[in-house]
Amino acid sequence: MKKPVVAAKEPAAPALSGERIVEAALAQITERGVERFSLRDVARVLGVYPTAVYWYFRSRNELLAAVCAHAQRDIVPPPRQGDWQAWLRELFRRYRRAMLHQPHLAQLVGAQMLSNASLDLTLVDSILHMLQQAGCPDDHIVDLYNAVVAGLCGFATLELAPLPAEDPDGWAADLQRRVRQIPAIEHPVLARHLPRMADHAFILRWTPGQQRPLDSGFEAYVEVFVAGLAARIAQART
């Protein structure tokens, strides 16, 4: 006698969690950009009512802060005793790699970090520890901490600035035409360097940073920042 065939049960959907919501939000931002992102879309993708998402995150801004924190979760390097400059270089590089991986977040993460919305206390404590290792006097530590945070965000925020939402191809073609027509008689130094700078330098480029990363410019930026910070600390100590 044949046993009755029992239909296989479909696997149950994973339970809703803050982590699942953040991952779904990040996928939506990657696909559609920050401007078109909403909690309702996240709820629809997860197959739940919006009220279920609001149980974990009270507002769109709170969810965006959690997404930014998720994107930055691995940017703080392990401590390097006695080599604060190497640690700082690695911090800058890790942050930029994270932003290149999620270019839609570059503007948002910088704004969230500078407005304290994400409040990454590990990052704060690690930067302060680095400045102490470097010999920064206590009465200068706040100013130099602010400089490090702004420097950390600055390059990637510019490098990954989005193209205009309206007719980006037309905007890029128009900018390229205007750059090629810069009059040498009015701007002789710029004209001399223009072949190297066109589409490779801030203000004069039309290709997005995620398609054409400014790697050598970033490394120059890091070295200038580290050298400048070391000089400023030495000056403060004297």
Side-chain angles (χ1 to χ4, degrees):
M1 181 175 179
K2 293 184 178 180
K3 294 182 179 180
V5 177
V6 179
K9 293 183 178 180
E10 293 185 4
L16 190 64
S17 65
E19 184 178 356
R20 281 194 68 212
I21 293 171
V22 167
E23 290 174 352
L26 185 56
Q28 285 287 300
I29 291 170
T30 300
E31 180 183 346
R32 307 181 65 189
V34 176
E35 296 78 9
R36 299 176 61 192
F37 155 81
S38 72
L39 266 71
R40 289 187 177 276
D41 287 336
V42 172
R44 177 180 51 78
V45 169
L46 292 171
V48 299
Y49 289 109
T51 51
V53 176
Y54 281 108
W55 179 262
Y56 291 88
F57 300 98
R58 293 171 294 179
S59 66
R60 179 179 186 271
N61 286 340
E62 187 173 302
L63 178 52
L64 287 175
V67 169
C68 290
H70 179 79
Q72 300 174 77
R73 65 193 183 281
D74 297 322
I75 70 168
V76 178
R80 293 196 183 195
Q81 295 298 328
D83 196 353
W84 68 268
Q85 294 189 14
W87 184 90
L88 185 58
R89 291 186 184 96
E90 182 63 17
L91 174 66
F92 275 46
R93 289 168 182 151
R94 284 182 176 218
Y95 178 82
R96 179 173 176 257
R97 280 198 298 269
M99 296 303 99
L100 286 170
H101 185 63
Q102 297 291 344
H104 284 293
L105 290 180
Q107 315 300 309
L108 178 64
V109 169
Q112 292 274 335
M113 188 183 295
L114 297 178
S115 68
N116 302 326
S118 298
L119 199 60
D120 187 340
L121 298 181
T122 299
L123 176 63
V124 174
D125 190 73
S126 298
I127 293 174
L128 292 174
H129 180 72
M130 178 273 298
L131 289 170
Q132 286 185 342
Q133 268 201 331
C136 178
D138 287 354
D139 55 345
H140 290 265
I141 205 162
V142 174
D143 289 342
L144 295 186
Y145 164 83
N146 287 339
V148 171
V149 173
L152 179 65
C153 301
F155 194 96
T157 300
L158 286 173
E159 182 181 23
L160 299 172
L163 299 182
E166 183 177 346
D167 190 20
D169 293 335
W171 171 87
D174 181 63
L175 178 58
Q176 183 174 357
R177 176 185 56 79
R178 289 163 54 202
V179 168
R180 300 298 186 192
Q181 292 177 355
I182 291 174
I185 195 167
E186 295 179 22
H187 306 286
V189 180
L190 173 55
R192 176 176 172 239
H193 294 286
L194 190 58
R196 297 184 186 89
M197 298 184 70
D199 206 26
H200 290 84
F202 294 140
I203 303 175
L204 301 171
R205 68 194 183 107
W206 48 87
T207 301
Q210 62 267 35
Q211 295 179 21
R212 179 172 287 173
L214 305 176
D215 294 334
S216 59
F218 172 75
E219 290 300 326
Y221 170 77
V222 172
E223 292 306 316
V224 168
F225 188 92
V226 171
L229 182 62
R232 186 69 183 84
I233 291 173
Q235 183 184 32
R237 295 178 64 181
T238 59

